[in-house]
Amino acid sequence: MTPLEKLKSIVEKEYESEDGDLYEVELLDGMSDEEIADFKQQLPNQYMPSEIEELLKYTRGFEFDGLEEVRFDTFGYFGFEELLPYSIELAGDGFGNFWVLDIDSGGQWNSVYYVCHAPAVVVKHSENLAEFIEHVDEFGEKGSASNLDQIHEETVMNIWQDKNEMPEDEEKDYDLSAIHHELPEMFMIADLTNKPIKTGFAWGKSGPKAKIIRLSDQPIWIVEKKEKQGVLSRLFGRK
């Protein structure tokens, strides 16, 4: 099912908020051919998948209770380019955490990640945009029992506490020769290739200035690790 087909399947559904109020999906205006042409020029490789163009002609996003606006036209808004160089900031939770769609250098629209800053983790949320819309629908129907709410409330803490963090594959070889950045002295490789939703990694355990490098178009990152210091090391200023 395409993103547009999935969205059309929920536009007339009625949901009930936590306060008992009924609400529906409220569509935003679609984009004109000229707006789509301008938008395409901003995208990697100046390429837009046909199913995304079809979606944007229908609507540039929608409003849904419990989320900030869901938008499909927010290329470059996210700003955390070390993590996701090309992305669409789909929605926020109002607390500085975001659902972000990853776009590769060829212009293909790929998986959706939930990027949280407290705790500082990233979680694979949905395989693609159509599944993300399905997860929004499920959130409206099931609330706390939905994937969206469980990832938002539970999965991020489990990953931060290493309960279901993606394990490192110590036997897999990675070609680091194409990296044009200086590698951190200590690092882990976070590889979410073919991993299921609800897996992820802690990107901020080494502090807000820790180096993060996207290895390729694949969901693979180099994340700086810093040696934990004991009390005496901190007192004598060891770095």
Side-chain angles (χ1 to χ4, degrees):
M1 185 175 288
T2 67
L4 178 57
E5 289 170 339
K6 186 60 197 177
L7 183 56
K8 283 184 173 180
S9 75
I10 70 172
V11 291
E12 295 183 2
K13 291 181 68 171
E14 198 168 62
Y15 303 91
E16 184 175 338
S17 71
E18 292 183 350
D19 298 327
D21 298 322
L22 299 179
Y23 68 95
E24 297 178 350
V25 170
E26 295 187 26
L27 295 175
L28 305 177
D29 291 338
M31 297 176 71
S32 67
D33 289 341
E34 183 178 355
E35 288 175 319
I36 288 176
D38 289 343
F39 185 43
K40 191 180 298 185
Q41 292 302 308
Q42 303 173 38
L43 300 174
N45 202 31
Q46 289 77 56
Y47 174 76
M48 178 187 294
S50 58
E51 65 177 24
I52 300 302
E53 183 170 345
E54 181 184 44
L55 174 67
L56 290 172
K57 287 181 178 180
Y58 179 69
T59 180
R60 66 188 69 210
F62 61 94
E63 295 181 3
F64 199 87
D65 189 76
L67 299 174
E68 295 182 336
E69 259 184 357
V70 177
R71 297 292 295 258
F72 309 127
D73 61 345
T74 50
F75 178 75
Y77 281 46
F78 183 51
F80 196 168
E81 295 180 355
E82 299 92 336
L83 186 68
L84 298 168
Y86 311 114
S87 66
I88 298 291
E89 186 181 293
L90 292 171
D93 64 357
F95 299 97
N97 309 307
F98 300 94
W99 290 269
V100 185
L101 184 144
D102 184 37
I103 301 177
D104 66 27
S105 60
Q108 295 293 339
W109 292 39
N110 298 312
S111 298
V112 175
Y113 298 91
Y114 179 61
V115 183
C116 185
H117 78 281
V121 304
V122 58
V123 187
K124 185 177 180 180
H125 190 282
S126 310
E127 293 288 351
N128 49 52
L129 182 55
E131 187 175 62
F132 175 74
I133 295 171
E134 181 179 338
H135 284 151
V136 172
D137 173 39
E138 182 192 49
F139 172 62
E141 289 187 335
K142 298 182 179 180
S144 61
S146 67
N147 274 284
L148 188 148
D149 198 84
Q150 288 173 358
I151 291 172
H152 185 273
E153 300 296 332
E154 300 173 14
T155 305
V156 292
M157 292 306 304
N158 288 338
I159 290 173
W160 184 256
Q161 296 166 0
D162 297 332
K163 292 180 181 177
N164 68 330
E165 184 172 24
M166 173 218 61
E168 293 185 64
D169 188 345
E170 297 180 354
E171 297 182 356
K172 189 172 181 179
D173 292 327
Y174 294 92
D175 182 9
L176 306 182
S177 61
I179 295 177
H180 302 298
H181 305 275
E182 182 179 353
L183 291 174
E185 183 176 345
M186 297 174 59
F187 60 88
M188 64 171 280
I189 294 181
D191 187 348
L192 293 181
T193 307
N194 299 323
K195 300 297 183 185
I197 63 172
K198 294 189 175 182
T199 52
F201 60 94
W203 60 264
K205 282 198 170 180
S206 294
K209 295 183 179 180
K211 181 175 287 189
I212 300 174
I213 302 170
R214 181 73 178 264
L215 188 56
S216 67
D217 276 339
Q218 298 301 312
I220 305 171
W221 294 266
I222 292 171
V223 183
E224 183 176 8
K225 295 174 70 173
K226 294 182 179 178
E227 185 179 359
K228 293 183 179 179
Q229 298 180 0
V231 175
L232 290 178
S233 297
R234 291 197 298 272
L235 284 175
F236 288 100
R238 179 186 170 186
K239 298 182 180 179

